[in-house]
């Protein structure tokens, strides 16, 4: 039997039952050290059998234009390469139209029948959850796992979905990390000591990629 046929049989027979599958989406423009720390915390604390890292396609909720999909995908692969159990999934980049998390969750659920999905998000995204397309279905299909962020913290998010969620909403244990992609882009754009200003904020291969492709430099 071919590998593809075996995979199909595996899916039909529900071999993924009981597995824990993590989903961590983001614009990853660029991916930074807090993203990697968050992925590692999720793998460890949730005992995931696999963690999908999903760069967003057309981010309907971000006001600015994102960097080209091929750059964000390449940097995401560099940032997460070598982490056991982690797979970068480009399905949102290949999708035409806006990237909705619920579409990705439903597709992954179909790929892994019987598995439990865990959606990993920072507190800022959690605070905006009620603005997401079909957000109640998101709560239905996945267990939400929140990492605190300096602003807002989970406690400040002002949203308690407990009564709406089919599952519990979990908090990941992760020290507060002030790093953001916005800050990194601004530092590079302002030419602060070249890439040295962000070397401690992004994984080294990502810093080299940014330099080689001259990303985030003004005009
Ligand atoms: P930007 O500054 O461009 O908005 P970002 O740093 O928030 O980007 P994203 O790619 O948008 O990075 O984030 C992907 C996910 O990682 C989101 O759920 C976000 O909340 C979370 N995240 C990003 N940075 C942190 C951080 N420092 N601590 C906790 N969660 C984070």
């Amino acid at each position: 039997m071919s590998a593809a046929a075996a995979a199909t049989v595996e899916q039909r027979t529900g071999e993924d039952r009981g597995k824990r599958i993590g989903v961590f989406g983001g614009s990853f423009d660029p991916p930074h050290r807090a993203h990697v720390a968050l992925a590692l915390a999720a793998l460890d604390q949730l005992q995931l059998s696999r963690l999908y890292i999903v760069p967003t396609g057309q981010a309907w909720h971000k006001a600015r234009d994102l960097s080209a999909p091929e750059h964000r995908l390449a940097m995401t692969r560099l940032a997460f390469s070598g982490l056991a159990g982690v797979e970068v999934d480009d399905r949102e980049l290949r999708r035409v139209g806006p990237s909705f998390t619920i579409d990705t969750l439903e597709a992954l659920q179909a790929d892994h029948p019987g598995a439990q999905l865990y959606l990993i998000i920072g507190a800022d995204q959690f605070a905006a959850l009620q603005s997401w397309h079909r957000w109640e279905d998101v709560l239905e299909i996945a267990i939400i796992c929140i990492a605190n962020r300096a602003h807002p913290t989970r406690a400040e998010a002002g949203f308690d979905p407990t009564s709406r969620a089919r599952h519990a909403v979990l908090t990941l244990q992760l020290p507060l990390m002030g790093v953001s992609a916005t800050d990194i882009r601004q530092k590079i754009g302002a030419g602060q000591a070249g890439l040295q200003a962000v070397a401690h904020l992004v994984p080294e291969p990502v810093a080299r990629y940014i330099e080689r492709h001259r990303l985030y430099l003004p005009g």
Side-chain angles (χ1 to χ4, degrees), residues 1-218:
M1 192 188 300
S2 72
T8 310
V9 170
E10 183 182 318
Q11 283 178 13
R12 270 201 227 109
T13 53
E15 283 291 302
D16 284 335
R17 193 158 300 284
K19 282 194 180 157
R20 298 159 160 246
I21 306 276
V23 184
F24 180 31
S27 21
F28 301 123
D29 193 15
H32 51 64
R33 289 193 190 278
H35 292 138
V36 178
L38 187 41
L40 288 171
L43 277 166
D44 177 46
Q45 292 168 32
L46 304 171
Q47 297 286 296
L48 301 175
S49 43
R50 192 172 311 176
L51 173 60
Y52 288 104
I53 310 285
V54 189
T56 190
Q58 246 172 277
W60 57 272
H61 60 297
K62 296 239 174 182
R64 68 183 187 90
D65 283 340
L66 300 178
S67 300
E70 59 270 25
H71 286 319
R72 293 186 294 110
L73 179 61
M75 290 189 287
T76 306
R77 288 197 168 125
L78 290 171
F80 293 96
S81 77
L83 297 190
V86 173
E87 192 174 315
V88 175
D89 184 303
D90 68 354
R91 73 182 67 217
E92 290 195 6
L93 298 174
R94 285 186 277 108
R95 194 181 296 152
V96 177
S99 282
F100 293 127
T101 301
I102 187 66
D103 296 336
T104 302
L105 292 173
E106 286 180 341
L108 287 171
Q109 186 76 86
D111 288 350
H112 300 283
Q116 175 59 57
L117 298 181
Y118 290 77
L119 179 68
I120 289 122
I121 57 177
D124 57 317
Q125 293 294 315
F126 176 66
L129 189 71
Q130 285 172 101
S131 67
W132 289 17
H133 180 59
R134 295 177 52 203
W135 66 272
E136 282 152 312
D137 293 334
V138 171
L139 288 174
E140 196 51 37
I141 196 171
I143 296 179
I144 313 291
C145 309
I146 306 161
N148 255 341
R149 238 185 140 165
H151 300 291
T153 63
R154 183 183 172 185
E156 291 161 359
F159 172 45
D160 181 7
T162 323
S163 61
R164 313 291 275 275
R166 185 156 70 94
H167 314 285
V169 172
L170 308 177
T171 301
L172 290 168
Q173 299 308 313
L174 185 73
L176 272 184
M177 298 176 78
V179 47
S180 78
T182 302
D183 182 43
I184 292 165
R185 291 191 303 274
Q186 280 170 358
K187 283 196 161 86
I188 297 172
Q192 288 178 14
L195 269 181
Q196 277 170 13
V198 300
H200 60 296
L201 301 176
V202 295
E204 201 189 323
V206 173
R208 282 201 300 268
Y209 187 97
I210 292 171
E211 188 161 42
R212 192 170 342 116
H213 294 273
R214 303 183 54 75
L215 301 182
Y216 312 122
L217 294 173

